[in-house]
């Protein structure tokens, strides 16, 4: 009770129950919640766990979040989600690498249940002491083989890295020992790069201008620059993680949507400024870009509904690649990136889009995201999708590989290893055109799908069976 208080409280209050759990009641907003301050160090890894209980509705969406403050500005991240069934204790659990902030408040909030009263108990908070670079098996300690070295005759080996990870030198040195190409997991997306308020000022003079900033991605770019690591840029045009303001007059969401001409003007300005900044500060480091991401609809195989489609029209992909080609430094490879390549009608839709872009001569490659699980898609479906896309004159990459499993029991980890291995057996023969294979994160707990233990290293940075299994695909 001492450490918990009702944050952004209104009239909410906390009560202590006899069994030691705490309860909150009198809430009027989803974020009226029990909060707890922690002193966290940027780049360090932590783990949080708490059980929650509610008895008012069939099911309630509960979220474990962090509110952090830097120079007086508060911002938020959701760390873990769980649906709490009526009358059942439910666990919220999350790994978190602290960002660069002055204050951290961990809190337990709801989504769509602003007045719900709930209880919580058994809160634990631990600093994780990951062992980077060596594998501990029983009493033995061995050095972890390096993926980038083992696969050097085949393709670059890469990973996604997010901003907070980049603050931890030890962690980054380990990543650098394993990977020779990295993708900022979020920080080169329009949500992070477009400077909306500065853009609004420019728009007062000329609606076709866009302003950009790079604060979030700098820690990673600086590290990569100092260590000779290449960067794959992700992403210029996407229906997600793009400020709604991008599509409105004056960058003001209460104003009407812009015209085709203005949106294409903004995209030109945006692309030009990104390319210029990167080339000026880190010449040659960014070797490729996802120009367009996830444009094909899963159900129809047609261009998905988006502001890009409705404002610019059917030719928006062609225009995006034309613009990227114009401003990208020579030799930078332009990719189209998508998920669910193994399924129809999506696969055919992707092939048609690639054929359109190939006709214009503006696309260089296709990126298979490969966010898979144990059963879906089958190895055979993956093989067929590789064959189909590889029939086109394109470079290839696996851009976002991860593979979720239902639990982390030994037997399940072995099944995961077998599927990873089967995928690598399919990939090796494409070495001539496969520029890179990139996993979408390094340690399980920091994955965007942490619930499914999808990566090659566990939360202590220890190699999992899947790590050793993919090495087995290489000749002796
Ligand atoms: C994910 C990030 O990993 C998450 O941190 C973020 O909350 C959502 O986006 N396909 C993509 C990636 O192209 O940009 C997505 O990354 C994962 C799916």
């Amino acid at each position: 009770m001492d450490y918990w208080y009702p944050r952004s409280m209104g009239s909410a209050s906390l009560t202590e129950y006899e069994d030691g759990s705490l309860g909150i009641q009198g809430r009027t907003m989803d974020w009226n919640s029990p909060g707890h301050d922690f002193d966290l160090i940027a780049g360090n890894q932590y783990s949080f766990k708490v059980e929650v209980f509610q008895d008012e509705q069939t099911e309630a969406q509960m979220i474990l979040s962090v509110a952090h403050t830097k120079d007086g500005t508060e911002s938020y991240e959701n760390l873990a989600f769980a649906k709490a069934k009526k009358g059942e204790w439910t666990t919220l659990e999350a790994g978190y690498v602290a960002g660069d902030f002055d204050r951290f408040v961990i809190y337990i909030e709801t989504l769509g249940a602003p007045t719900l009263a709930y209880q919580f108990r058994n809160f634990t908070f631990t600093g994780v002491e990951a062992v980077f670079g060596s594998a501990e098996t029983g009493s033995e300690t061995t050095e972890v083989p390096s993926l980038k070295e083992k696969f050097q005759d085949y393709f670059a080996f890469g990973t996604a890295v997010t901003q907070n990870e980049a603050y931890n030198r030890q962690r980054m040195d380990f990543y650098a020992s394993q990977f020779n190409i990295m993708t900022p997991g979020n920080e080169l997306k329009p949500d992070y790069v477009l400077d909306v308020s500065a853009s609004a000022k420019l728009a007062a003079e000329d609606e076709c201008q866009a302003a950009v900033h790079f604060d979030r991605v700098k820690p990673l770019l600086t590290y990569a620059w100092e260590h000779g690591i290449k960067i794959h840029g992700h992403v210029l045009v996407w229906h997600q993680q793009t400020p709604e303001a991008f599509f409105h007059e004056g960058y003001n969401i209460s104003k009407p949507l812009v015209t085709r001409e203005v949106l294409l003007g903004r995209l030109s300005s945006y692309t030009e400024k990104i390319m210029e900044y990167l080339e000026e500060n880190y010449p040659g480091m960014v070797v490729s870009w996802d120009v367009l991401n996830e444009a094909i609809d899963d159900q129809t195989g047609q261009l998905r509904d988006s502001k890009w489609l409705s404002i610019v029209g059917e030719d928006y992909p062609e225009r995006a690649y034309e613009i990227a080609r114009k401003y990208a430094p020579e030799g930078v490879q332009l990719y189209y990136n998508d998920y669910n390549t193994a399924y129809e009608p999506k696969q055919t839709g992707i092939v048609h889009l690639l054929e359109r872009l190939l006709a214009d001569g503006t696309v260089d490659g296709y990126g298979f995201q490969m966010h898979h699980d144990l059963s879906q898609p089958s190895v055979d479906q993956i093989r067929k999708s590789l064959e189909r896309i590889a029939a086109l004159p394109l470079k290839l990459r696996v851009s976002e590989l991860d593979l979720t499993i239902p639990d982390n029991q030994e037997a399940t980890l072995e099944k995961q290893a077998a599927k990873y291995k089967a995928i690598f057996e399919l990939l090796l023969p494409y070495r001539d055109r496969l520029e890179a294979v990139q996993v979408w994160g390094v340690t399980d707990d920091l994955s965007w799908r942490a619930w499914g233990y999808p990566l090659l290293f566990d939360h202590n940075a220890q190699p999992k069976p899947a790590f050793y299994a993919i090495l087995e695909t290489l000749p002796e």
Side-chain angles (χ1 to χ4, degrees), residues 340-355:
N340 281 353
T341 324
Y343 304 121
E344 289 294 9
K346 183 142 184 189
Q347 188 181 98
T348 299
I350 290 171
V351 168
H352 288 161
L353 176 59
L354 290 169
E355 284 169 346

Side-chain angles (χ1 to χ4, degrees), residues 185-186 189 234 238 241 293-294 337 369 371 400 440 448:
N186 284 310
K189 294 171 180 173
H234 174 77
W238 192 17
Q241 289 186 272
N293 194 29
E294 304 181 349
N337 193 52
Q369 289 190 9
H371 295 294
E400 307 184 10
W440 200 244
W448 73 308

